[in-house]
């Protein structure tokens, strides 16, 4: 059976200043891959606002986000992956001075559970990226979400 890639890519080449503990604007959809010729089912995904992507189908999803930005102050620049409002994973880089460029790659596997009161993240599952460190004066961000299985 052929490989079936089901993914969405979003890019924001002009993220304005983002305060500490604020959600990052994700940008616009730049690519969708959903080959129906191989008979695989693609996941349902909706872009519900400037800072949220919603997954509507249970499964495992690879989430990759890269941020390149200018720190608003010296300190730790950190981004966090949120799913269902909960922080799942965080990565950071250190800015030695205000204006330093930081590069932060984040990669994580997210599981979206079917609806059940006993499970931690029910559908629909909101995926967001939060600036958990020093404020950023400007940035570029790229998000990729791919259904693994």
């Amino acid at each position: 059976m052929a490989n079936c890639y089901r993914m969405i890519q979003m890019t924001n080449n002009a993220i304005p200043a983002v305060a500490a503990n604020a959600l990052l604007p994700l940008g616009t959809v730049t690519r969708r891959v959903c080959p129906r010729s191989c008979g695989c089912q693609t996941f349902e995904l909706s872009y519900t606002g400037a800072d949220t992507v919603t997954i509507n189908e249970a499964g495992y999803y690879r989430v990759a986000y890269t941020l390149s930005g200018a720190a608003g102050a010296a300190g730790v620049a950190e981004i966090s992956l949120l799913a269902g409002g909960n922080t799942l994973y965080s990565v950071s880089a250190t800015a030695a001075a205000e204006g330093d460029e930081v590069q932060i790659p984040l990669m994580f596997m997210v599981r979206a559970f079917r609806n059940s009161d006993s499970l931690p993240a029910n559908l629909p599952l909101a995926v967001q990226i939060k600036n958990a460190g020093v404020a950023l004066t400007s940035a570029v961000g790229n998000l990729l979400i791919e259904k693994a299985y």
Side-chain angles (χ1 to χ4, degrees):
M1 181 175 161
N3 287 333
C4 293
Y5 296 101
R6 298 155 313 240
M7 67 89 164
I8 188 168
Q9 181 177 359
M10 301 180 77
T11 301
N12 191 337
N13 289 322
I15 298 174
V18 179
N21 294 312
L23 296 175
L24 289 161
L26 300 177
T28 58
V29 174
T30 54
R31 184 171 296 138
R32 293 178 200 254
V33 176
C34 53
R36 302 221 182 251
S37 61
C38 65
C40 61
Q41 183 178 8
T42 59
F43 67 97
E44 292 181 43
L45 185 139
S46 60
Y47 179 52
T48 58
D51 56 21
T52 305
V53 172
T54 303
I55 295 172
N56 296 310
E57 183 180 308
Y60 289 86
Y61 295 84
R62 288 183 196 97
V63 177
Y65 185 81
T66 56
L67 176 83
S68 175
V76 177
E78 181 177 330
I79 57 173
S80 297
L81 170 65
L82 280 62
N86 300 308
T87 299
L88 296 181
Y89 188 67
S90 296
V91 290
S92 63
T94 301
E98 179 182 348
D100 277 2
E101 193 76 18
V102 292
Q103 308 285 327
I104 307 175
L106 180 150
M107 284 153 268
F108 197 75
M109 185 73 78
V110 174
R111 180 175 179 193
F113 294 98
R114 297 197 187 285
N115 288 334
S116 169
D117 292 337
S118 64
L119 297 174
N122 295 321
L123 296 175
L125 182 63
V127 175
Q128 300 167 310
I129 306 293
K130 181 172 116 176
N131 177 24
V134 298
L136 301 170
T137 56
S138 64
V140 172
N142 291 292
L143 174 69
L144 178 82
I145 299 177
E146 177 182 24
K147 186 167 187 187
Y149 49 93

